[in-house]
Amino acid sequence: MPVNLHALAEHHIPQVLEACHDWEELAQHGPPYWRPRSSAELRRKIVDAAGPQLAQAYSFVLADDSQLVGETSIHAIDWRNRVAQVGICIWRPEDRRRGYGRAGAEAAISWALDELGLLRLEAWILATNKASQELFAGLDFAYEGTLAGRYQHGGVRHDVVVYGLTR
């Protein structure tokens, strides 16, 4: 299934808010960096990445031929050390396991390494999210450790595993 990566833009906002209305379902899979609660929050992300200075985060939407299916981001950018985190989220359960996550992650990773010149990327993933762990391991990220109790959801602390890729 082909997927296109687009920088988050004003015209995406209504579709994003509609697709992400069920944050309880999404939150069980991990701590999304990008948790839009309002159109104002999404507009702030667009402005923050508009330049001319380098941003601390870049957000992209993933689109197939008919709709937006998810997002990916390069965030928590440490320009001094040329390190950042990469995240991927496919919003609807019916769109998962169809190749969108891999295609979106590959595009974001290539952009971060080639266009931004980053030298290291990290993926922070819930320890129970085996699909995301398999995805990043398949993209040559190596398991580096576990952050005990790093994520809280539903009043319960959850471990987060860290995968890293160094150029």
Side-chain angles (χ1 to χ4, degrees):
M1 182 82 38
V3 65
N4 296 302
L5 195 71
H6 303 282
L8 175 64
E10 179 75 27
H11 68 275
H12 296 130
I13 291 174
Q15 291 174 284
V16 171
L17 292 174
E18 172 59 28
C20 297
H21 74 278
D22 190 357
W23 276 111
E24 284 300 312
E25 193 281 328
L26 289 169
Q28 69 182 327
H29 301 292
Y33 160 74
W34 200 45
R35 191 177 287 245
R37 294 174 192 89
S38 69
S39 57
E41 183 176 348
L42 292 171
R43 284 187 187 95
R44 182 184 51 77
K45 290 184 177 296
I46 294 166
V47 169
D48 288 349
Q53 70 284 353
L54 294 171
Q56 298 302 305
Y58 294 93
S59 298
F60 302 91
V61 292
L62 307 174
D64 70 5
D65 292 333
S66 62
Q67 67 179 352
L68 298 182
V69 296
E71 61 90 11
T72 186
S73 62
I74 303 297
H75 56 275
I77 301 173
D78 173 351
W79 288 108
R80 181 178 176 273
N81 292 300
R82 297 171 64 188
V83 174
Q85 292 178 26
V86 60
I88 186 83
C89 181
I90 305 302
W91 298 319
R92 297 174 198 88
E94 62 270 18
D95 290 329
R96 297 183 193 135
R97 297 253 179 214
R98 297 184 61 198
Y100 295 129
R102 182 177 186 88
E106 286 175 338
I109 291 163
S110 292
W111 184 79
L113 297 174
D114 298 338
E115 299 299 321
L116 297 181
L118 298 175
L119 300 175
R120 175 179 165 77
L121 295 174
E122 299 170 351
W124 291 28
I125 305 166
L126 268 183
T128 56
N129 188 340
K130 300 303 180 192
S132 288
Q133 291 177 51
E134 290 171 9
L135 169 66
F136 282 97
L139 294 171
D140 296 326
F141 280 64
Y143 169 79
E144 295 185 341
T146 300
L147 304 173
R150 177 66 174 84
Y151 178 60
Q152 181 172 313
H153 174 63
V156 177
R157 309 258 357 134
H158 300 274
D159 294 350
V160 172
V161 295
V162 178
Y163 281 74
L165 175 74
T166 302
R167 183 178 248 190

